[in-house]
Amino acid sequence: MSARSEPDEVLDCRGQRCPLPVINLARRLPELAVGAVVRVLADDPAAAVDIPAWCRMRGQEFVGAATTDGAPGYDVRRTR
């Protein structure tokens, strides 16, 4: 469990392969309030690289990696 606070929402993308976790994040994030944190659960190893890269390209904040129920997760804060 991460020392960070819990996310505002969890997006379960387990079992999805690249690029689906990033596509689902891109679709969901605009629906959340600025400042909200979404945790993307993704067991595709590519997500560890793809999600931070997407955040850099889109001007969103990659908060860091976390684990939820043993699943790898990636926290993203909506900045705009």
Side-chain angles (χ1 to χ4, degrees), residues 28-44:
R28 183 66 184 126
L29 199 64
E31 299 173 357
L32 300 177
V34 171
V37 174
V38 62
R39 178 169 295 161
V40 182
L41 301 181
D43 50 10
D44 181 358

Side-chain angles (χ1 to χ4, degrees), residues 1 10 12 14 39 41 66-72:
M1 185 73 184
V10 175
D12 191 347
R14 291 175 285 191
R39 178 169 295 161
L41 301 181
T67 303
T68 299
D69 298 329

Side-chain angles (χ1 to χ4, degrees), residues 41-77:
L41 301 181
D43 50 10
D44 181 358
V49 174
D50 292 348
I51 291 174
W54 180 86
C55 290
R56 285 190 303 275
M57 289 188 300
R58 299 294 182 205
Q60 304 299 335
E61 180 185 352
F62 177 66
V63 179
T67 303
T68 299
D69 298 329
Y74 307 92
D75 289 356
V76 176
R77 177 174 289 113

Side-chain angles (χ1 to χ4, degrees), residues 13 16-27 40 44 46-47 50-51 54:
C13 295
Q16 299 177 7
R17 295 295 166 228
C18 176
L20 292 177
V22 170
I23 290 170
N24 288 323
L25 171 62
R27 287 181 178 158
V40 182
D44 181 358
D50 292 348
I51 291 174
W54 180 86

